[in-house]
Amino acid sequence: MTHAPGAPDATLSERPPTPVGAAELPALRRRVQAVLITTQILGGLGIAIGVALAAVLARDVSGSEALSGLASTATVAGPALLAMPLAALMASRGRRAGLVLAYLIGAAGAGVAVLGAVADSFVLLLLGLVGFGAGSSANLAARFAAADLAEPDRRARAISTVVWATTIGAVLGPNIAAPAGESVSGLGIPATAGPFVWAAGVFVVAALVVSFLLRPDPLLTARALAEAGTPGGAAPEGRSLRAGMRAVRESPRARLALVTVAGSHTAMVSIMSMTPVALTHHGADIRMVGLVISGHIAGMYAFSPLMGWLSDRLGRLSVIGLAVGLIGVAALIAGTAGASHGRTALGLFVLGLGWSAGLVSGSALLTDSVPQAARAAVQGLSDFVMNTAAGVGGLAAGLIVAEAGYGPLNALAACLLLPMAALVLRSSIRKD
């Protein structure tokens, strides 16, 4: 694999580790999980500080409400653009190299977004938001890193524990958006850009934690364990992106998992990204917006261990069905909230629960459904599909709200659930 400019150098990669013994595995799992939990807290904080006001900042810089949806599109475009190169890097060098790269790109992007705000350049702001969104690539990839060494019957819980850790930073983030804005008031930086200054520093700290502490690499260790019992080991070409795409084509449940994570994420991003704009239409200030988004993020992450437990106990398909129901109810509540901030907050909280159910169950099903050698590639493909779809959804959301309103946006977002529901029903009947 050609080493891309700006990518982590060879010091971030490792020799394939010697397979650990059964007695050592529990301690290794705990150590890896502790590091991932720490970085999820930091990454969640960095992402949530910026996301809380991204649409408002885009509206202020562009002077157009219709263009404010591009902020969401830009932040999910970053993970979409990075997903496949990141998957290739992880397949070659392990999780650590990929996570460090993603956090550093996120930090650089946050800095560029601040420059765009200061220069009143919408184009520069969008370019910065694309890079900033790469920070969420690291947090998304970390859930799969948690699954690398997990036992199959506890895989969803391992994923959900790391997802849950994001709660601490993600809930705190929107509520410190106002202090972050105030902290740059004397520097000539707009208050709505202040959160991105803080986000850049947080992402750098997260990159340092991964670089120094995520050792041995969980993906390389899992691969060594799998290949130890395979005569001749797994062929390197079995880890390629092409092999990953072939694995998805050959597995109906892998295809269902892709539709689940993409549909859940797109519906969530479309609704959530335009909620701050809808709230300000009805007189909400920055602090109220922060509270509503904090409640939404709490729904996304705080209950993920429950979703993981249900997914392991009741099955992946049952929890995917739950995700369809929750997101549909959320769209109904938020879409009919009108001027009621409390009703909007409730809708966004339920929306977060639905996203959590879809992400945890879909990610576990995807990991279950493909061979170990192809998992990194397939997981990267999943993040590419879900972020590309969400980017389109975020762009459409701004146009829909400008032309038709927030209620119709929720109704259209709910329509994204129909393919998920149909595939779950077909998979349950056919037992694919």
Side-chain angles (χ1 to χ4, degrees):
M1 174 180 170
T2 302
H3 185 60
D9 62 28
T11 61
L12 284 178
S13 61
E14 302 178 15
R15 292 181 180 277
T18 302
V20 297
E24 301 169 280
L25 264 178
L28 178 56
R29 289 184 182 119
R30 289 192 297 270
R31 185 164 68 252
V32 167
Q33 189 172 71
V35 174
L36 293 174
I37 285 173
T38 301
T39 57
Q40 286 295 94
I41 293 171
L42 292 169
L45 176 62
I47 293 162
I49 293 174
V51 166
L53 293 179
V56 177
L57 177 60
R59 183 192 62 188
D60 292 346
V61 173
S62 69
S64 169
E65 193 164 279
L67 293 177
S68 63
L70 286 174
S72 171
T73 299
T75 56
V76 296
L81 292 171
L82 191 60
M84 299 305 279
L86 198 63
L89 178 62
M90 288 184 178
S92 173
R93 299 192 177 187
R95 300 289 186 195
R96 190 163 59 93
L99 294 177
V100 169
L101 176 63
Y103 280 130
L104 292 180
I105 293 176
V112 173
V114 173
L115 292 177
V118 171
D120 203 29
S121 169
F122 188 57
V123 173
L124 191 59
L125 172 65
L126 291 181
L127 289 174
L129 291 176
V130 170
F132 168 75
S136 64
S137 294
N139 272 34
L140 289 170
R143 76 191 193 277
F144 290 124
D148 286 334
L149 295 172
E151 299 137 305
D153 62 348
R154 297 185 62 86
R155 189 168 284 146
R157 276 170 280 187
I159 291 171
S160 66
T161 298
V162 170
V163 171
W164 169 84
T166 312
T167 308
I168 300 171
V171 172
L172 180 62
N175 288 296
I176 64 174
E182 294 166 1
S183 72
V184 299
S185 60
L187 303 176
I189 298 173
T192 47
F196 291 94
V197 176
W198 287 31
V202 171
F203 283 150
V204 169
V205 174
L208 291 172
V209 171
V210 172
S211 180
F212 287 104
L213 300 181
L214 193 62
R215 300 170 183 267
D217 188 281
L219 177 60
L220 299 183
T221 301
R223 184 178 295 161
L225 287 168
E227 293 177 357
T230 304
E237 58 269 20
R239 307 167 191 159
S240 67
L241 295 177
R242 180 177 297 179
M245 294 178 186
R246 183 170 61 249
V248 171
R249 287 197 303 269
E250 294 172 353
S251 172
R253 292 210 169 191
R255 295 196 296 272
L256 167 59
L258 279 178
V259 170
T260 296
V261 295
S264 300
H265 194 59
T266 303
M268 184 277 292
V269 167
S270 300
I271 296 171
M272 182 273 291
S273 65
M274 296 311 298
T275 297
V277 175
L279 285 168
T280 56
H281 273 169
H282 294 290
D285 59 15
I286 288 179
R287 294 185 187 277
M288 175 57 69
V289 171
L291 287 172
V292 172
I293 298 300
S294 289
H296 167 65
I297 294 173
M300 289 174 65
Y301 300 115
F303 295 88
S304 57
L306 173 62
M307 301 305 176
W309 182 82
L310 290 173
S311 187
D312 282 337
R313 293 296 297 271
L314 303 181
R316 319 305 193 208
L317 298 184
S318 297
V319 181
I320 292 174
L322 176 62
V324 171
L326 288 170
I327 296 174
V329 169
L332 176 64
I333 295 172
T336 59
S340 172
H341 299 336
R343 189 177 175 88
T344 301
L346 176 60
L348 267 287
F349 174 73
V350 177
L351 179 66
L353 291 177
W355 177 88
S356 179
L359 185 77
V360 170
S361 58
S363 299
L365 180 63
L366 185 69
T367 304
D368 293 341
S369 303
V370 297
Q372 200 284 332
R375 282 178 187 166
V378 170
Q379 290 158 355
L381 175 63
S382 170
D383 285 349
F384 170 76
V385 170
M386 85 178 211
N387 284 297
T388 300
V392 174
L395 174 60
L399 299 174
I400 292 167
V401 168
E403 295 296 325
Y406 184 65
L409 169 65
N410 280 267
L412 290 172
C415 292
L416 297 173
L417 305 172
L418 297 177
M420 290 170 55
L423 287 174
V424 168
L425 182 61
R426 186 176 74 173
S427 188
S428 298
I429 294 173
R430 297 176 58 178
K431 300 188 182 301
D432 288 327

